[in-house]
Amino acid sequence: MAGLELVSDAGFRADGRRPDELRKVRARLGVLARADGSAYLEQGNTKVLAAVYGPHEVRGSRSKAPPDRALLCCRCSSAPFAGGGERRRRPPQGGGDRRSGERALLLRGVLEGAVLGQLYPRSQIDVHVQVLQADGGELGASVSAAGLALQDAGVALRGPVVAGSAGLAEPPAGPPVALSDLSAAEEAAGGPRLVVATVAGSGQLALCQLSARLHQERLRPVLDAAQAACRGLHAVLDGVVRASDPLGDTRTLPWPQ
Amino acid sequence: MLRTEKVLQLRGQQGRAVRVVREHYLRPDVPCRSALCRSAQCRAACARDGKLLSDDVTHYVVPDCKVVQEYLEILEFPELKGIIFMHTACQAVQHQKGRRQYNKLRNLLKDPRHDCTVFANEFHQHCYLPREKGESMEKWQTRNIYNAAAWYHNHCLGQMPVVMVTEDEDAIRQYGNETEGVFVISFKNYLDNFWPDLKAAHELFDSIVQARRERESESQENHGKEYPEHLPVEILEAGIKSGRYLQGTLNVNKHRAQLEAFVRLQGFGSKNTELQSDILIYGTKARNRAIHGDVVVVELLPVHEWKGRTVALCENETEDKAPADTTGDPMPTGKVVGITQKNWRDYVVTFPSKEEIQSQGRNAQKVLVTPWDYRIPKIRISTQQAEALQEYRVVVRIDSWESTSLYPNGHFVRVLGRIGDLEGEIAAILVENSICAAPFSEIQMSEMPVSSPKNPWKVSPEEAKKRLDLRDSHLIFSIDPKGCEDVDDALSVRTLPNGNLELGVHIADVTHFVAANSYTDVEARARATTYYLADRRYDMLPAVLSADLCSLLSGVDRYAVSVLWELEKESLETLRVQYRRTLIRSAYKLEYETAQALLDGDTSVVGNILELQGLDEGTRQQKVAELVWAISKLTDIARHVRAKRDRCGALELEGIEIRVQLDDKRNIHDLIPKQPLEVHETVAECMILANHWVAKRISEDFPHQALLRQHPPPRQEFFTELRECASAKGFSIDTRSNKALAESLDRANDPLDPIVNKLLRSMATHAMSNALYFSTGSCPEEQFHHYGLALEKYTHFTSPIRRYADIVVHRLLMAATLRGTTGDVKDNITSNKDLEELCRHINNRNRAAQRAQKQSTELFQCMYFRDRSAESDERCVADGVIYSIRTNGVLVFVPRYGIKGAAYMKNKEGLVISCQGAGSCQWKPGSLHRSQHKITSTTATGDSVTLSLFDHITVRILVQSSRCHAERIKLEIIRNAPHHTADTEAAHRSSHGVRSDLVKEVSQSAEEAQRAQERARVEVMDEESQEFCQTKGPSLYQLLEEIRELALLDVTQDIRT
């Protein structure tokens, strides 16, 4: 299977998409009643659930709390039945596997940039993200779902946070092609993978993570593809947010474009 | 853009059933790429790449998966137009046929001259049909393709008939009439109907079908396996009993490891008497995963499939060429049907070089490594370190060899050292011979008695009471080569009060210090012998025993086991013999030269005897007189014993060889004795006598569990080559009995060329089988005979310090003599079964020791010549003698260095050698003609060179380097005339010096230059003294055996005598 080509000569990827096409996205807000905000996001077969608690008082030792802004607590985990690469070497207790921990760190970095934390001094915002099913792009889906959940919770943001991924296919003949929104099979092929998170769909990058080596000249098309994926995803998610908002557009300021 | 989603469920990945869920997107905008298509959506999609299916063909053809896989070559014909390859079919090719086939298909699709296209039917929302539950893959693919074909027909608005070709009869029946305008027919039918004139396609079709059928029938036979399965054990046993199968040990031909292997049948009592020779196993298929040394069960092939063995010289690199014209007479040929015992051991291997790794493919984790031993197949191992270990010799172990695998699987064990490095190569030799010579462990050393200069070991009074004290009554002395440390034998002779003589042979009592089954004993048993390599030695016993407490040094009390004979004073007939544990004090530790001088009446050497220094003149005179009397008496007795043995038909051979070897030793000592010494013979004869009598005694007392040594008579057919060679010089060799052989060998002496006789003797040696230890319980008494020595019974008793067999014999002898007096002796006696096992082990170890010694010598030779440039250095040019003729070259013996090697007269390009006068030889086109005693090379220009047996030629010595194996000496014929140099004579005289130089020089290049050099000097002396002085075998058999062991040494001296 190692020799599977990412893009066929006819221009299709293994799952029938064209290089620039995203997987099917579905999202719902407010799926968990007890949380202050929650969101469920599907990107193809990758399914993620995010919940936001807060802002609330800092729990535990108060000395941890920064005086001027909110404390962001991010936790990521994978469901035992999530499958994919997460399955391997799972510690007995849920949560806390290495990839999830790494994801939590990255997610916190992204949200620090997106949440207007100075509005909530000495308070804490908890963000919990769980991957229910893994099929590639878990980090991107986690960030997007967390962004949705924060919106659902009404936390002040600089803009909606979405993340997309892109890779590069280098067919033996012909020029390399950037692929948007990699699936698990495509990630497993071992090529470069770039995950980009943007704030406000404006092209401002909150996260840019590249795994595997990539030639400098090839970075631009891949980055473009990832940003295009973000824009595409934002378009869909924005629709979802607007549709789910019971008060319609009236209470929401238009996002700066 | 419309997106639909389907979930495709796959199962099965890496053997286990894994449920894999993949997304599958279906879309409406899949381009059909037909010029006929009028749909705007399609047009837009098609515009991306230019190639369109033309609209001027009579039909479109849609091949099924099977058709694409099997008949792609036919579809490549440019005459076939309008082919639509469905995506489903392409995927099937990629998955089932592999990358090469898929690339072919891709190139075909891209080729603009070829009118074909691919339709991504699986992504089209109207063409894709999900696989139904329980539907086979093939059925689903066919259904999908048919569906797509039908859609295509409709998509083109029915303007173009579509023909789907499939090999599936059901599909033809089911879909044949389902849609108008879509025809489903078989490929053959399609070719017949649509392309009746395309002859080439029809022929190709037939040949493909034919090939496929053959493959199918073959895979039905062995189910896709590389080798047939081995038969179950019960069937093998039954087959062996009924005589249908034969059992034996597999021996792979070193020079043709890929093709030839021989099975030597087990047991002499084989009922199948018509099978005298070995069974040839030709090719790796017939060898069926057996590895050199395995005990295998073979089935004979019918006579018309028998093959002959190859007689041409062959280099191992050219292993794939199979010259059919050079085979000899057909011999019994068989195939392996089962392996009863796998004798896998550790193997030294070399990783392939970088280039080779790359050529082995991308999957670099599995590496095929090449064993050092040519006879072992390549081994596949999994490692990440292949690149890092390229320059090293590495040990691997074989784990398994499945019938589906071309090569055995193994794993990496440890690194030995760099390739070409002395220590690394020596370690490789040790591993290859399964020699484990780690230093003695602490627990073993703790069993050793303490003896230090401050606190010397002393005889214990209790022990002294039990022993016969010979300290004062006997004049005991030892005769050894100079510098000998481990003296394990001493002699005595005296006149008894009744006038008779008493001869005594005193052997170090090793068993007193090495209790049975103690740690030291177990270790010694495992080692079985002391190993001598060219520059070092691995002792069987710790040095405190071998060089001190067991060594019968002069002036100190030592325990011994003595054999004392009472001889009649005139006739010297044996009257009485007793075997006793004794306490002795050797009076003199003599050297051979000194002893000989005394024997000859030369008293000037008395000053050399340490023990006599510091005495006053009178005492000294008296002592010298005593000693001289003893030595001369001993010599008389030895002559007598020997004559008696000769009359019995012993293979009598004047001890030229051994004496010459001794000359060699002397040369190391810078002593140049011209004559072989009689003292050697005397000592040796005494030892043979002791061994013989001990053998008699223990076999009487333990008729079923005594350890003896037999030397079976050689098979007559092995003498064929010897007889033929001798007839080239006009000699006839009578090989019917040992006596006749010895006599005819004596006669076969060419006065002009002494080497002829030496070579003939060396051939005779080769023809003989090895002497072996055995347990008396395991074979009938008539087989106890020792061919070489012409003794009814023989064993090894006299060197317990360096041979484990002697230790066993000591224990047996003690048990025999003490029988009845104490009850516990039985403990020391092993049962016949265990003894048999032990003998096998010792025999194996002895062979390993000989091989290791030979290989280390070759290693030093190669290292010596490697550092010289063959072109300029005159040491690389030497005189050689032809001793065997092959179809494409000759075997040459170089006396100067004692090297035997092959010299080719026809090189790989098929050119033959041509020598013009004094000039050097050149390669020219021509032919070779071989007759019995000569070989003639005739060039196209009419020049011819004839080489006959025993011709002297000039050869150049080259080292043939090889990464994976030991380096080898290669000979190149330079001139068709003897080699004469100014220093030839000198070289002959000091040829010994050359050798020790050789050892030294190579050692120098090693890391510890200085130390190694000194050690080499010392060890060489030791080794040789061990080998030649202590064994004391002047009889033909022992001589020849030692020559064989030290093939390098023997002939060097031969020339000079």
Side-chain angles (χ1 to χ4, degrees):
Chain A
M1 298 292 274
L4 271 189
E5 48 187 7
L6 290 174
V7 180
S8 74
D9 291 331
F12 291 107
R13 290 154 74 168
D15 54 8
R17 288 184 284 160
R18 291 209 181 271
D20 55 348
E21 287 173 354
L22 307 185
R23 290 178 289 177
K24 187 171 177 67
V25 179
R26 282 198 284 180
R28 262 182 78 190
L29 298 188
V31 287
L32 304 172
R34 269 187 62 185
D36 293 315
S38 61
Y40 169 75
L41 177 68
E42 266 184 40
Q43 275 184 282
N45 278 329
T46 300
K47 303 183 180 184
V48 179
L49 192 62
V52 170
Y53 294 89
H56 54 75
E57 274 189 35
V58 176
R59 302 217 171 93
S61 95
R62 294 185 177 221
S63 55
K64 270 198 305 188
D68 56 338
R69 58 200 155 85
L71 175 68
L72 271 172
C73 285
C74 294
R75 279 191 138 173
C76 289
S77 61
S78 279
F81 47 82
E86 315 280 319
R87 190 193 342 242
R88 277 176 246 145
R89 266 180 283 142
R90 159 167 302 284
Q93 288 294 308
D97 68 315
R98 223 167 47 113
R99 291 191 193 196
S100 296
E102 186 189 335
R103 229 165 32 229
L105 272 175
L106 291 168
L107 176 61
R108 187 171 166 206
V110 174
L111 297 186
E112 297 264 8
V115 173
L116 294 167
Q118 62 273 28
L119 296 182
Y120 312 104
R122 285 193 298 281
S123 51
Q124 179 179 355
I125 303 173
D126 295 327
V127 182
H128 298 274
V129 181
Q130 185 163 39
V131 176
L132 299 178
Q133 186 169 299
D135 189 33
E138 292 89 25
L139 174 60
S142 299
V143 170
S144 306
L148 283 179
L150 284 170
Q151 291 182 56
D152 186 44
V155 175
L157 298 172
R158 289 206 171 77
V161 186
V162 285
S165 67
L168 190 73
E170 292 175 274
V177 186
L179 307 177
S180 299
D181 197 12
L182 300 180
S183 69
E186 287 165 336
E187 282 179 1
R193 173 169 50 131
L194 183 72
V195 182
V196 161
T198 57
V199 176
S202 61
Q204 287 174 292
L205 301 188
L207 167 73
C208 185
Q209 193 209 27
L210 177 65
S211 62
R213 279 202 288 195
L214 182 63
H215 194 277
Q216 196 182 356
E217 286 174 4
R218 309 262 161 86
L219 178 63
R220 179 44 67 179
V222 178
L223 191 60
D224 285 346
Q227 281 179 299
C230 287
R231 276 197 299 277
L233 195 57
H234 172 63
V236 177
L237 297 185
D238 196 37
V240 172
V241 172
R242 281 169 206 282
S244 72
D245 195 339
L247 300 178
D249 281 354
T250 50
R251 229 182 64 178
T252 323
L253 293 169
W255 300 110
Q257 289 298 313
Chain B
M1 199 186 300
L2 181 77
R3 266 190 224 110
T4 50
E5 184 190 343
K6 291 279 161 152
V7 174
L8 184 74
Q9 306 201 346
L10 302 175
R11 283 171 72 86
Q13 207 174 37
Q14 291 181 349
R16 263 183 307 160
V18 180
R19 185 189 183 91
V20 177
V21 182
R22 295 253 167 79
E23 285 173 282
H24 193 88
Y25 291 90
L26 301 179
R27 54 203 309 141
D29 62 341
V30 178
C32 66
R33 305 195 190 199
S34 163
L36 283 172
C37 176
R38 299 285 168 256
S39 126
Q41 194 184 14
C42 240
R43 283 264 138 148
C46 292
R48 293 191 198 191
D49 45 9
K51 200 177 163 190
L52 285 179
L53 213 54
S54 59
D55 53 0
D56 58 350
V57 291
T58 58
H59 63 278
Y60 287 148
V61 56
V62 178
D64 190 10
C65 299
K66 204 77 186 167
V67 175
V68 178
Q69 282 172 34
E70 300 289 342
Y71 305 114
L72 185 60
E73 283 169 274
I74 300 176
L75 297 174
E76 278 171 351
F77 276 85
E79 287 85 353
L80 269 60
K81 287 185 176 180
I83 306 172
I84 305 166
F85 291 101
M86 291 297 168
H87 185 252
T88 312
C90 298
Q91 291 283 307
V93 170
Q94 188 182 6
H95 286 174
Q96 280 161 34
K97 282 285 171 172
R99 178 173 294 268
R100 258 191 63 217
Q101 192 88 351
Y102 183 59
N103 281 343
K104 261 169 92 179
L105 175 60
R106 277 176 49 180
N107 292 336
L108 178 70
L109 289 168
K110 267 187 238 158
D111 190 347
R113 292 162 302 179
H114 208 278
D115 191 24
C116 65
T117 191
V118 63
F119 176 60
N121 63 324
E122 289 198 9
F123 301 139
H124 195 282
Q125 58 187 11
H126 298 306
C127 293
Y128 177 75
L129 300 168
R131 191 168 156 190
E132 280 164 12
K133 225 175 182 165
E135 189 176 27
S136 78
M137 188 64 137
E138 288 74 25
K139 287 276 178 235
W140 171 72
Q141 283 168 339
T142 309
R143 188 160 66 94
N144 237 336
I145 289 176
Y146 175 76
N147 191 40
W151 177 86
Y152 210 92
H153 178 68
N154 294 330
H155 180 69
C156 298
L157 306 172
Q159 297 167 28
M160 187 65 77
V162 173
V163 180
M164 174 174 162
V165 287
T166 178
E167 295 292 277
D168 186 348
E169 303 288 334
D170 295 344
I172 296 173
R173 242 174 290 129
Q174 189 182 346
Y175 305 120
N177 303 313
E178 200 174 279
T179 319
E180 204 179 324
V182 180
F183 307 95
V184 182
I185 53 175
S186 74
F187 195 57
K188 173 135 185 65
N189 214 335
Y190 172 72
L191 284 181
D192 288 345
N193 288 331
F194 289 85
W195 306 99
D197 307 327
L198 200 54
K199 242 198 157 101
H202 284 277
E203 282 164 11
L204 190 56
F205 177 79
D206 290 340
S207 80
I208 290 175
V209 169
Q210 178 72 22
R212 198 179 62 185
R213 252 186 229 136
E214 268 170 31
R215 226 179 313 136
E216 271 167 11
S217 67
E218 197 172 290
S219 71
Q220 257 172 8
E221 268 172 29
N222 42 19
H223 308 284
K225 284 168 182 162
E226 297 287 342
Y227 300 99
E229 285 294 341
H230 293 146
L231 298 176
V233 184
E234 312 88 66
I235 297 185
L236 293 180
E237 280 173 354
I240 293 167
K241 264 189 194 147
S242 67
R244 187 166 168 225
Y245 301 137
L246 300 162
Q247 191 174 27
T249 313
L250 186 83
N251 268 305
V252 177
N253 183 342
K254 190 161 74 174
H255 304 289
R256 252 171 287 274
Q258 296 283 311
L259 291 176
E260 286 185 4
F262 299 93
V263 172
R264 176 150 299 177
L265 298 182
Q266 256 178 1
F268 304 106
S270 167
K271 279 169 242 152
N272 206 343
T273 40
E274 71 256 44
L275 266 181
Q276 282 298 326
S277 64
D278 296 346
I279 298 172
L280 173 69
I281 307 288
Y282 190 83
T284 45
K285 264 280 198 288
R287 206 181 298 163
N288 196 0
R289 293 175 279 151
I291 292 175
H292 175 79
D294 286 354
V295 179
V296 297
V297 178
V298 292
E299 182 181 12
L300 281 182
L301 295 174
V303 176
H304 60 88
E305 287 180 37
W306 286 9
K307 292 190 167 71
R309 62 186 303 170
T310 318
V311 285
L313 294 173
C314 168
E315 286 171 86
N316 262 66
E317 303 92 83
T318 59
E319 41 199 23
D320 43 342
K321 70 163 185 185
D325 53 327
T326 53
T327 51
D329 299 333
M331 59 187 291
T333 307
K335 63 173 184 195
V336 174
V337 293
I339 301 176
T340 40
Q341 193 189 341
K342 287 175 179 161
N343 284 331
W344 294 350
R345 53 178 174 88
D346 288 3
Y347 297 103
V348 177
V349 302
T350 313
F351 278 88
S353 62
K354 252 181 203 133
E355 309 83 68
E356 290 172 79
I357 286 185
Q358 273 159 8
S359 73
Q360 277 186 15
R362 313 184 304 148
N363 197 354
Q365 300 203 345
K366 292 269 186 193
V367 191
L368 268 184
V369 293
T370 314
W372 191 82
D373 190 339
Y374 286 105
R375 299 170 295 195
I376 309 300
K378 286 183 177 176
I379 301 168
R380 189 193 304 114
I381 66 171
S382 282
T383 180
Q384 311 266 357
Q385 310 175 63
E387 292 211 357
L389 292 175
Q390 268 184 16
E391 294 302 313
Y392 290 88
R393 295 255 187 255
V394 170
V395 179
V396 302
R397 233 164 256 165
I398 296 183
D399 298 321
S400 64
W401 197 345
E402 306 300 331
S403 59
T404 49
S405 161
L406 203 54
Y407 294 104
N409 292 311
H411 65 271
F412 161 80
V413 179
R414 71 194 153 98
V415 174
L416 289 176
R418 280 188 175 276
I419 294 171
D421 182 55
L422 178 65
E423 293 304 316
E425 299 291 334
I426 293 272
I429 289 174
L430 292 182
V431 170
E432 272 299 309
N433 291 297
S434 311
I435 293 173
C436 176
F440 291 94
S441 69
E442 227 157 81
I443 192 157
Q444 285 154 2
M445 293 310 287
S446 69
E447 289 178 349
M448 294 296 107
V450 179
S451 176
S452 60
K454 278 184 196 159
N455 181 17
W457 172 83
K458 284 199 187 69
V459 170
S460 79
E462 305 91 71
E463 187 63 32
K465 267 182 224 149
K466 287 190 221 159
R467 289 171 179 267
L468 186 64
D469 193 341
L470 306 179
R471 280 179 290 187
D472 304 320
S473 54
H474 285 62
L475 171 66
I476 297 172
F477 54 92
S478 61
I479 305 181
D480 286 289
K482 188 171 181 173
C484 179
E485 277 184 339
D486 43 354
V487 184
D488 43 19
D489 50 77
L491 298 164
S492 71
V493 64
R494 64 168 184 167
T495 315
L496 293 174
N498 62 6
N500 287 343
L501 287 173
E502 188 196 59
L503 169 68
V505 170
H506 313 275
I507 306 297
D509 191 0
V510 174
T511 52
H512 174 78
F513 297 99
V514 182
N517 295 322
S518 64
Y519 292 109
T520 321
D521 184 51
V522 170
E523 178 68 27
R525 190 186 307 158
R527 296 189 183 200
T529 174
T530 297
Y531 298 99
Y532 300 97
L533 301 190
D535 66 334
R536 63 194 76 189
R537 182 184 75 194
Y538 295 101
D539 281 326
M540 183 179 81
L541 293 171
V544 63
L545 288 186
S546 59
D548 188 4
L549 299 186
C550 288
S551 184
L552 305 179
L553 304 170
S554 63
V556 284
D557 293 350
R558 290 285 180 257
Y559 296 142
V561 176
S562 303
V563 184
L564 300 167
W565 292 268
E566 187 179 336
L567 306 173
E568 213 279 321
K569 58 191 159 195
E570 293 301 321
S571 64
L572 297 178
E573 285 307 310
T574 307
L575 300 174
R576 210 161 63 88
V577 60
Q578 53 176 333
Y579 310 88
R580 294 297 295 267
R581 281 198 136 147
T582 52
L583 181 57
I584 64 163
R585 181 187 288 152
S586 169
Y588 307 101
K589 181 168 175 280
L590 299 177
E591 289 158 18
Y592 279 110
E593 303 77 45
T594 322
Q596 183 67 41
L598 289 172
L599 186 60
D600 298 342
D602 176 5
T603 48
S604 63
V605 293
V606 168
N608 296 345
I609 304 175
L610 286 173
E611 292 85 353
L612 289 178
Q613 277 163 14
L615 295 176
D616 63 82
E617 192 56 30
T619 331
R620 194 192 293 188
Q621 289 290 345
Q622 190 201 338
K623 292 219 169 203
V624 169
E626 278 173 11
L627 184 58
V628 170
W629 177 85
I631 295 175
S632 56
K633 210 68 205 167
L634 269 181
T635 313
D636 284 349
I637 296 171
R639 278 185 198 139
H640 176 79
V641 172
R642 169 130 205 181
K644 197 168 137 199
R645 209 153 54 76
D646 290 346
R647 281 198 302 278
C648 296
L651 256 184
E652 171 66 39
L653 182 70
E654 71 297 322
I656 285 182
E657 263 101 333
I658 201 162
R659 281 180 216 143
V660 176
Q661 284 161 358
L662 286 165
D663 283 356
D664 258 0
K665 310 300 110 45
R666 298 278 166 66
N667 279 335
I668 294 181
H669 299 260
D670 291 333
L671 298 170
I672 313 161
K674 291 270 195 289
Q675 293 297 316
L677 305 178
E678 194 178 7
V679 173
H680 291 132
E681 231 173 90
T682 305
V683 174
E685 201 58 48
C686 291
M687 295 307 140
I688 293 174
L689 190 66
N691 285 337
H692 174 54
W693 278 92
V694 169
K696 258 171 69 171
R697 176 69 199 256
I698 59 174
S699 63
E700 274 164 22
D701 277 61
F702 302 104
H704 299 299
Q705 53 210 47
L707 187 151
L708 296 190
R709 192 165 168 85
Q710 69 181 167
H711 185 214
R715 295 197 201 171
Q716 287 299 315
E717 65 260 28
F718 292 152
F719 283 122
T720 318
E721 197 185 357
L722 171 68
R723 278 199 294 264
E724 276 174 12
C725 281
S727 67
K729 278 274 174 186
F731 303 124
S732 74
I733 303 284
D734 184 355
T735 57
R736 275 170 301 178
S737 74
N738 40 9
K739 199 169 181 182
L741 174 63
E743 280 165 5
S744 47
L745 274 177
D746 287 345
R747 280 197 306 274
N749 203 350
D750 185 346
L752 297 177
D753 192 357
I755 288 180
V756 172
N757 189 262
K758 307 307 156 200
L759 280 174
L760 289 178
R761 285 180 198 280
S762 125
M763 271 178 226
T765 317
H766 256 276
M768 287 184 198
S769 41
N770 278 317
L772 296 170
Y773 298 109
F774 71 104
S775 165
T776 46
S778 59
C779 70
E781 189 151 359
E782 53 268 29
Q783 286 177 16
F784 291 4
H785 189 77
H786 199 289
Y787 176 80
L789 292 173
L791 289 173
E792 284 307 306
K793 291 181 183 115
Y794 191 67
T795 190
H796 271 165
F797 166 72
T798 50
S799 296
I801 295 179
R802 59 190 188 89
R803 290 189 304 230
Y804 190 75
D806 299 50
I807 293 184
V808 176
V809 169
H810 272 238
R811 293 200 181 118
L812 284 166
L813 182 67
M814 287 305 109
T817 52
L818 295 177
R819 176 174 267 199
T821 55
T822 47
D824 61 343
V825 289
K826 279 278 170 211
D827 302 346
N828 291 344
I829 303 305
T830 42
S831 69
N832 176 41
K833 208 160 174 188
D834 293 344
L835 192 60
E836 221 180 311
E837 190 64 44
L838 181 63
C839 290
R840 208 170 299 137
H841 169 71
I842 296 177
N843 287 332
N844 278 338
R845 294 289 79 206
N846 276 344
R847 268 194 293 272
Q850 285 166 20
R851 268 199 311 271
Q853 188 174 18
K854 187 161 158 257
Q855 284 164 356
S856 69
T857 316
E858 282 167 2
L859 170 68
F860 274 86
Q861 278 176 344
C862 289
M863 289 177 114
Y864 177 77
F865 286 110
R866 189 173 62 187
D867 299 337
R868 333 228 154 267
S869 78
E871 296 306 319
S872 56
D873 201 315
E874 70 165 17
R875 272 173 290 193
C876 291
V877 177
D879 189 49
V881 185
I882 296 169
Y883 71 93
S884 182
I885 304 265
R886 299 294 167 91
T887 49
N888 60 346
V890 291
L891 296 181
V892 177
F893 170 68
V894 180
R896 162 93 189 264
Y897 297 107
I899 294 170
K900 282 179 178 172
Y904 293 85
M905 297 185 67
K906 189 176 198 172
N907 65 9
K908 279 181 208 153
E909 289 85 55
L911 304 179
V912 300
I913 201 159
S914 131
C915 302
Q916 271 128 5
S920 61
C921 291
Q922 292 166 326
W923 297 104
K924 288 188 176 171
S927 62
L928 284 181
H929 177 71
R930 174 199 178 204
S931 65
Q932 197 180 5
H933 300 313
K934 56 185 168 219
I935 182 164
T936 307
S937 100
T938 314
T939 61
T941 52
D943 306 325
S944 76
V945 186
T946 303
L947 297 177
S948 320
L949 269 179
F950 301 115
D951 271 3
H952 283 254
I953 54 172
T954 305
V955 292
R956 175 177 290 137
I957 302 161
L958 302 168
V959 174
Q960 186 177 7
S961 64
S962 148
R963 247 187 107 249
C964 303
H965 309 284
E967 289 174 326
R968 287 195 306 178
I969 294 282
K970 202 169 112 186
L971 300 177
E972 217 178 73
I973 300 173
I974 301 182
R975 246 192 336 270
N976 180 19
H979 178 61
H980 285 298
T981 52
D983 63 347
T984 306
E985 285 310 304
H988 276 204
R989 213 174 303 120
S990 67
S991 87
H992 173 69
V994 172
R995 169 190 314 288
S996 70
D997 279 356
L998 183 151
V999 171
K1000 263 189 282 174
E1001 209 157 317
V1002 178
S1003 306
Q1004 240 159 6
S1005 66
E1007 272 180 39
E1008 337 139 17
Q1010 195 54 37
R1011 237 179 60 201
Q1013 185 185 0
E1014 283 166 12
R1015 193 173 48 199
R1017 245 194 124 82
V1018 174
E1019 307 289 36
V1020 165
M1021 276 161 34
D1022 268 5
E1023 162 210 333
E1024 285 159 350
S1025 58
Q1026 293 280 343
E1027 278 302 313
F1028 302 114
C1029 306
Q1030 302 228 320
T1031 319
K1032 315 210 158 116
S1035 68
L1036 172 61
Y1037 151 66
Q1038 281 198 336
L1039 296 182
L1040 294 181
E1041 200 187 37
E1042 278 164 8
I1043 293 162
R1044 195 224 268 300
E1045 286 172 19
L1046 289 167
L1048 191 75
L1049 291 170
D1050 64 282
V1051 214
T1052 330
Q1053 317 99 24
D1054 290 354
I1055 303 165
R1056 279 177 293 124
T1057 45

